[in-house]
Amino acid sequence: MKISIFGLGYVGVVSAACFAKDGHTVIGVDPVDVKVNMINRGESPIIEKDIGEIIKFVVENGKLKATTNALEAIENSELSLVCVGTPSKINGDLDTSYVQRVCEHIGAAIKNKIQRHVVVIRSTIIPGTIKNIVIPTLEASSGKIAGQDFGVCNNPEFLREGTAVYDFYNPPKTVIGETDVVSGDLLASIYQNLDCPVIRTAIEVAEMVKYVDNVWHALKVGFGNEVGNICKSLGVDSHDVMDIFCSDTKLNISPCYLKPGFAFGGSCLPKDVRALAYKGKSLDINLPILNSILPSNDLHIENGLRMVMEDDNRQIGFLGFSFKAGTDDLRESPVVEMIERLLGKGYEIKLYDKNVNLAALVGANKAFILNKIPHIAKLMVKTMNEVLEHAQTIVIGNNSFEFKNIMDNLREDQKVIDLVRAVDGINSNGFYKGLCW
């Protein structure tokens, strides 16, 4: 395929060299003459393992050249990858001016082009950038319509400095956000020789993925360092601790606990976070990440409360109020916290949870209900239908299987607030509100 790559910085140079090595004909575009001249001499303008040898090879074989002329690049390519920088502004916002400027040049170049062109944003951009900046700029400059006269895709890169060539050929995933299937097909075809999953999704999802990846990586570094600070103060080998931690790929290094839902609770997580944070405080160690976990959890409970209280409905029904489905444990359940706060504000509440049956509870759980929350025990009903008959607003508190089809049993005047995405495939609308989806 004939590919043009706008921006001969780190990502652009690696992408240009590797695509050319794979047999594509690549034109690199950059306003800086020095970079363009270096590429055309077969030299790399960046320092990166193996990239110099690859550029020399592909330039000598006529697969890669560079220019400062955007029109020339567009006329001689089918697909353009935008790889310009998106640095931070002073206030922390993203500076998309380079992306916008390149889109103006590309739009002007495709204005009179007969063949359909596909523009791919590979730069890291905040969700909404393509919808609000890229597409309007391209349409205004070209006089054409995105998705019809030309295609637009988002294709975030996952390259690490120092191992970028290896990462290009061994990516964890290839993510394609597309405005239309034809454009997505064309973009996917240039990755057909890579052994990795190709994920095609909505534009905004693709834009967000890169940020989630990078922020998660940053959080892992900070978390590991805070654990190390506590371990060192206690005389514990932090690397031994984290080696054991990382060996658990069922829970620790896995998708577990990473789906958006309601706040955590139960007899372990709140207690243990609290204890470790207190230990750090007693050792005079500043642990901003660990110390923010419980406040963040409390804010999530506040979000749930706010959603319930936004409407004037006074009759509330809870389906599931143990801290998670499949258990009768109410200790530090965030749903119980919500119920208690709503009771204090005068709401009329009924509760159903098949696992929290007072007659079947024994030991610690029975004592907890009778001694700590007897007022809540009085609100419990034996069937889900009793809650549905009572409530104007129905709150789903855990993802018990019996709640999945709740939307089929609603009256016209009822609303559902789903704290755990027990109902699949629905996003917030007039009758259904998801907590964070």
Side-chain angles (χ1 to χ4, degrees), residues 124-338:
T124 302
I125 50 175
I126 286 287
T129 303
I130 287 181
K131 178 182 178 181
N132 298 320
I133 296 176
V134 170
I135 289 177
T137 301
L138 288 169
E139 289 183 337
S141 300
S142 67
K144 296 183 176 182
I145 301 173
Q148 176 180 308
D149 303 318
F150 64 91
V152 178
C153 294
N154 182 233
N155 179 216
E157 50 81 21
F158 304 100
L159 307 177
R160 297 168 295 172
E161 293 188 39
T163 60
V165 173
Y166 175 85
D167 290 344
F168 182 93
Y169 289 110
N170 299 275
K173 56 189 177 288
T174 296
V175 179
I176 295 173
E178 57 195 39
T179 54
D180 60 276
V181 174
V182 173
S183 299
D185 287 344
L186 186 69
L187 177 56
S189 69
I190 67 176
Y191 294 109
Q192 62 185 349
N193 295 325
L194 298 182
D195 184 18
C196 74
V198 176
I199 302 163
R200 295 172 65 169
T201 186
I203 288 279
E204 292 82 2
V205 172
E207 289 172 313
M208 187 64 179
V209 162
K210 179 62 181 294
Y211 281 94
V212 175
D213 279 23
N214 281 354
V215 172
W216 176 238
H217 298 159
L219 178 60
K220 288 194 291 185
V221 172
F223 175 80
N225 289 339
E226 289 194 6
V227 169
N229 289 337
I230 295 177
C231 288
K232 184 173 182 179
S233 296
L234 295 172
V236 176
D237 190 315
S238 61
H239 281 236
D240 284 349
V241 169
M242 294 309 287
D243 284 344
I244 295 170
F245 171 85
C246 292
S247 70
D248 180 353
T249 57
K250 291 185 178 180
L251 297 178
N252 293 345
I253 311 301
S254 77
C256 290
Y257 307 110
L258 284 173
K259 284 290 183 72
F262 198 38
F264 61 78
S267 60
C268 296
L269 298 189
K271 171 180 70 70
D272 292 345
V273 172
R274 201 175 289 123
L276 195 59
Y278 180 82
K279 189 62 181 178
K281 184 177 179 181
S282 70
L283 295 168
D284 291 328
I285 302 172
N286 187 13
L287 304 170
I289 292 175
L290 296 183
N291 290 337
S292 70
I293 294 173
L294 288 175
S296 174
N297 204 50
D298 290 340
L299 286 173
H300 218 45
I301 297 173
E302 293 284 352
N303 290 340
L305 274 169
R306 185 168 56 252
M307 290 178 67
V308 174
M309 295 168 61
E310 279 175 348
D311 297 315
D312 293 330
N313 298 344
R314 305 300 297 178
Q315 293 172 265
I316 311 297
F318 279 83
L319 300 179
F321 59 102
S322 60
F323 86 96
K324 68 176 180 179
T327 179
D328 59 4
D329 195 349
L330 300 177
R331 289 172 291 179
E332 299 215 41
S333 166
V335 183
V336 169
E337 178 67 22
M338 278 187 66

